[in-house]
Amino acid sequence: DQRAKYQVEFVKNSFSEITKSTISVLEIGAGSANSSLLLRDVWKEKSLELYACEPGKQWADHYQYHFINRIADFFPFSSQKTFDYIHTSHWLEHVRDLNSTIKDLYEKLNIGGYLFIEVPNCDSSYWELPLSDTPHIHFFTLKSLKTAFEKHKFSCINIEECGITNAEWSK
C-alpha cells in the first residue's frame, strides 16, 4: 500500500541503519503489517523478528504466513520484550492517556532504537466528514508532537508534515 511504501522510504532516509544482525520490530495497530513486511526488503541483510500489536483477529492466518508474532491485542501490554524499532501509524491519536503511552513506548524501545510515528493530517474539516474511524482523542501539530515525546526522553531525528488532509482523502 502507498502509505506503507512512503513510511518505509521515510524510515530509510531518516534513520541510521541499526547495526545489530537481528532486529526486533514491533508494529502497533499493525493491521496487515505492510510497513514491517516492507522493512524486510530494506533491511534484507538482517534477520528481522516481526511482532504485531493488533486487536483484529482476522489477521491471524496472515501473520502466521508471514512469520509475524502477534504479541498483544492492545498497547501497552505486559511483557519484558523490548524492540529495536517500533512502528505506529494512525494509532497515537486514539490513545486515552498520551503521557503514559509515551512512557510505555520508551520502556519498550531498546537503547539506540528507533520509533516511527505517523498521525493524521487533520484540519477543521475532520469534524464535518462522515468518517467511520474511531474518534480521535488527540490532534497534533509538528511542534506539539515533538514536544510531547521530548518531554519523555525521546529525541527527534526527523519530523515533517506530508500527505493529504482527511477532507482530501475522503473525496
Side-chain angles (χ1 to χ4, degrees):
D1 78 43
Q2 271 315 108
R3 182 185 289 163
K5 286 178 185 175
Y6 173 80
Q7 291 170 353
V8 169
E9 191 64 26
F10 180 88
V11 168
K12 190 170 76 170
N13 293 333
S14 299
F15 299 165
S16 302
E17 186 170 334
I18 298 172
T19 58
K20 294 179 169 183
S21 59
T22 300
I23 301 171
S24 56
V25 175
L26 170 64
E27 189 165 345
I28 302 172
S32 60
N34 285 338
S35 295
S36 292
L37 293 172
L38 287 171
L39 282 170
R40 279 189 175 152
D41 294 335
V42 171
W43 293 328
K44 56 186 162 222
E45 69 285 351
K46 308 285 186 181
S47 173
L48 265 63
E49 296 174 348
L50 301 183
Y51 294 85
C53 179
E54 167 60 48
K57 304 298 183 207
Q58 72 270 27
W59 299 109
D61 290 340
H62 176 77
Y63 291 166
Q64 186 175 5
Y65 178 80
H66 290 287
F67 304 100
I68 300 170
N69 305 293
R70 179 193 219 110
I71 195 163
D73 291 345
F74 297 100
F75 190 88
F77 51 84
S78 179
S79 170
Q80 296 303 310
K81 177 79 180 142
T82 57
F83 303 90
D84 301 306
Y85 175 79
I86 298 175
H87 188 96
T88 74
S89 175
H90 293 255
W91 164 78
L92 190 65
E93 66 275 11
H94 300 283
V95 302
R96 290 178 192 249
D97 185 340
L98 184 61
N99 285 313
S100 68
T101 298
I102 296 171
K103 286 178 189 175
D104 289 331
L105 286 166
Y106 187 84
E107 290 173 6
K108 291 289 183 206
L109 193 62
N110 288 331
I111 294 172
Y114 295 101
L115 171 65
F116 173 89
I117 299 166
E118 182 176 295
V119 292
N121 185 2
C122 294
D123 58 12
S124 60
S125 66
Y126 171 82
W127 302 103
E128 299 164 8
L129 297 171
L131 300 175
S132 60
D133 193 13
T134 303
H136 297 176
I137 298 170
H138 306 282
F139 294 86
F140 301 97
T141 64
L142 293 176
K143 184 177 179 180
S144 70
L145 184 63
K146 184 178 179 187
T147 300
F149 278 84
E150 287 177 342
K151 184 170 111 178
H152 294 285
K153 304 179 194 173
F154 282 93
S155 59
C156 182
I157 294 172
N158 191 359
I159 189 168
E160 65 183 57
E161 184 176 292
C162 58
I164 59 176
T165 66
N166 282 351
E168 295 165 317
W169 174 81
S170 69
K171 288 180 184 178

